[in-house]
Amino acid sequence: MDSRFDGIKRFEKKVWLASPTMHGDELKWVTDAIEKNWVSTVGENINESEKLVQEKIGRKFAVGLSSGTAALHLAIRLAGEKLYGPQPANVGTLLGKKVFCSDMTFDATVNPIAYEGGEAVFIDTETDSWNMSPEALKKAFEIYPDVKLIVVAYLYGTPGKIDEIRKIADEHGALIVEDAAESFGASYKGVQTGKFGDYSIISFNGNKIITGSSGGMFVTDSEEDCHKVRKLSTQARENAPWYQHEELGYNYRMSNIVAGVVRGQMPYLEEHIASKKRIYDRYKEGLKDLPVSMNPIPDDTEPNYWLSCIVIDKDAMCPHVRSEKEVLYKSEPGKSCPTEILDVLASFNAEGRPIWKPMHMQPMYRNNIFVTTEGILRGRSNAYIDEGVAADVSADIFERGLCLPSDNKMTEEEQDIIIDIIHRCFK
């Protein structure tokens, strides 16, 4: 380590990006399930967790599932069946259909489109919220007016402009699958995320704002959709005295043990959000004199502040290049880059992470269409015409951004040291 970091001691105990924060109630309900021998995919913990979630979000029904990804898959399947009708078991409900979806997200958001035989069309990000750009979505509908499904994800706990997206969807008769996996407890214009989609989901993955160690939920106002998801998530068994199956199902139901952890976590949701907000605010104040900006919070939005992130100003970026799995950078006085900061944090036993790599840049999706506010971005360069550089907001945020340690259990002293380390990266 170079002399810029002299005097800083390595953290004895690792400072995590975002780890589970347990309170004791979780063990109570898990123990209760074990003592009552309800250790399958039925039980009081599941029922109570579903009730607590639907009341928090303000929806009529919630269905506990094994993961947020499972919830997304069933949401997308239901949307496909509603739009295009049931399909044979070996044919996806979206076979050959294009689906507009967020570009800057984890691949769990978009993979279920492929599960159902659809083709993801990635919509560029807006700088205001780091979520799907309504303007790029409008452009996509100009190009593909027959698309009938939009999958919208909220990044790092901050809602996007879902009212504008809903208006565009309604104008084209399109359905919305709302991926609120990262934003449980966040609100837009006073309404909880998970309330806006025709089909909506949340996640209880181990690093989320509250956790079940795993798990997720499908939330809806439709009793019919609720019953359908319960059926599909338990192998689509029919009401017969033997195992009879008339459509393709899955083993997607939440365990009563996992639900016990969720049940124990739910009373602490607001406490976790308040803690995450303090972390965000301390970073914003502590880094205000550096050439960086925090992940934005639009007006009328109250995030859950799941992860605090920064983007380095373009003129303060030191040279760096990325391959598919490796990165090289050259440190320069007064400048830094995401990889340098992450490397230095790791050397002091603190965990950060790069921004999600946009879906249109992922090797498995590089042949998929990517739409910006200017139109389809792929193939826009022309060696014979100086057209300038087409805007790619997602790639720019990925290039210059990183997620900072945002763990609820991080002390103020530990965060002050992390802030000091980041300052020294720019010396």
Side-chain angles (χ1 to χ4, degrees):
M1 188 61 61
D2 64 48
S3 60
R4 289 179 297 171
F5 304 98
D6 287 350
I8 300 179
K9 292 183 179 180
R10 192 173 189 269
F11 296 114
E12 292 184 8
K13 189 175 181 180
K14 187 163 185 174
V15 179
W16 295 98
L17 176 78
S19 67
T21 300
M22 299 288 108
H23 300 273
D25 293 354
E26 302 88 353
L27 182 60
K28 168 187 173 183
W29 295 118
V30 170
T31 301
D32 182 74
I34 293 171
E35 289 177 345
K36 293 177 179 176
N37 207 33
W38 288 103
V39 294
S40 185
T41 54
V42 292
E44 182 183 333
N45 286 335
I46 297 176
N47 298 338
E48 186 64 21
S49 295
E50 290 174 341
K51 178 184 175 183
L52 291 170
V53 167
Q54 68 195 39
E55 288 175 351
K56 174 61 180 176
I57 294 176
R59 303 214 77 157
K60 295 179 180 178
F61 305 99
V63 183
L65 299 167
S66 58
S67 66
T69 306
L72 278 163
H73 185 194
L74 295 183
I76 289 170
R77 173 166 165 179
L78 260 63
E81 288 187 355
K82 183 171 184 178
L83 290 167
Y84 307 113
Q87 301 295 326
N90 63 337
V91 176
T93 60
L94 296 173
L95 187 64
K97 304 297 184 182
K98 289 180 169 59
V99 177
F100 295 149
C101 55
S102 295
D103 182 51
M104 181 156 281
T105 184
F106 184 52
D107 69 344
T109 301
V110 299
N111 285 349
I113 296 169
Y115 300 166
E116 291 300 311
E119 176 190 346
V121 174
F122 300 117
I123 309 300
D124 198 12
T125 306
E126 61 163 8
T127 57
D128 290 357
S129 69
W130 290 10
N131 289 299
M132 181 184 284
S133 163
E135 295 305 312
L137 181 62
K138 288 180 184 178
K139 179 62 69 173
F141 271 114
E142 290 176 10
I143 303 168
Y144 302 107
D146 295 332
V147 170
K148 296 300 179 185
L149 182 58
I150 305 167
V151 181
V152 178
Y154 304 132
L155 197 70
Y156 301 135
T158 299
K161 296 175 182 174
I162 191 63
D163 56 345
E164 295 183 31
I165 292 170
R166 168 55 71 186
K167 182 179 179 182
I168 296 166
D170 290 346
E171 289 172 353
H172 293 86
L175 301 177
I176 293 177
V177 171
E178 181 189 20
D179 179 358
E182 300 176 9
S183 67
F184 183 44
S187 62
Y188 181 73
K189 295 186 176 179
V191 180
Q192 291 284 308
T193 58
K195 179 77 171 174
F196 295 94
D198 296 285
Y199 311 93
S200 302
I201 74 97
I202 61 172
S203 171
F204 300 118
N205 188 41
N207 63 4
K208 294 300 186 289
I209 194 77
I210 66 168
T211 183
S213 74
S214 62
M217 285 202 186
F218 173 93
V219 291
T220 180
D221 289 328
S222 166
E223 186 174 14
E224 179 182 357
D225 288 342
C226 170
H227 290 325
K228 181 73 172 184
V229 167
R230 290 185 193 278
K231 178 184 177 183
L232 292 176
S233 66
T234 51
Q235 300 291 15
R237 289 169 53 191
E238 299 296 331
N239 185 19
W242 46 80
Y243 291 102
Q244 175 146 320
H245 306 273
E246 299 175 8
E247 57 185 329
L248 186 65
Y250 315 91
N251 184 18
Y252 278 175
R253 196 72 162 106
M254 179 182 280
S255 155
N256 197 47
I257 299 295
V258 168
V261 182
V262 174
R263 184 179 182 182
Q265 286 265 290
M266 277 297 295
Y268 299 94
L269 174 59
E270 299 305 326
E271 178 181 318
H272 289 189
I273 292 173
S275 175
K276 294 279 191 176
K277 185 178 188 302
R278 286 193 296 271
I279 291 169
Y280 179 94
D281 289 343
R282 283 179 63 81
Y283 275 132
K284 188 171 184 180
E285 177 64 23
L287 301 174
K288 66 182 181 181
D289 57 335
L290 290 181
V292 303
S293 55
M294 299 289 296
N295 45 319
I297 300 174
D299 294 339
D300 299 322
T301 295
E302 185 55 43
N304 68 7
Y305 298 92
W306 176 51
L307 292 184
S308 293
C309 310
I310 57 172
V311 168
I312 300 169
D313 294 354
K314 291 181 180 180
D315 58 4
M317 282 279 290
C318 66
H320 79 141
V321 291
R322 284 176 169 138
S323 69
E324 292 302 339
K325 296 181 180 179
E326 297 180 325
V327 61
L328 292 173
Y329 64 89
K330 179 183 178 183
S331 186
E332 291 186 355
K335 297 183 178 182
S336 191
C337 66
T339 304
E340 179 180 32
I341 295 172
L342 292 172
D343 283 352
V344 174
L345 288 173
S347 73
F348 285 101
N349 205 24
E351 182 189 32
R353 187 170 66 188
I355 297 291
W356 293 126
K357 185 174 184 179
M359 289 295 101
H360 81 276
M361 298 174 69
Q362 298 287 353
M364 67 182 292
Y365 288 123
R366 276 193 177 142
N367 290 327
N368 288 54
I369 297 160
F370 174 52
V371 181
T372 74
T373 56
E374 301 174 27
I376 298 175
L377 188 66
R378 308 221 191 263
R380 289 288 297 274
S381 61
N382 188 325
Y384 303 99
I385 302 173
D386 183 8
E387 296 176 320
V389 179
D392 183 342
V393 176
S394 296
D396 183 50
I397 295 171
F398 172 63
E399 179 78 4
R400 299 188 289 119
L402 67 147
C403 305
L404 300 174
S406 304
D407 194 71
N408 275 333
K409 296 171 293 303
M410 177 174 58
T411 67
E412 290 187 0
E413 180 183 6
E414 289 170 335
Q415 189 176 5
D416 287 341
I417 293 170
I418 289 166
I419 290 170
D420 184 25
I421 290 170
I422 296 170
H423 273 84
R424 297 191 193 204
C425 287
F426 285 91
K427 290 186 177 178

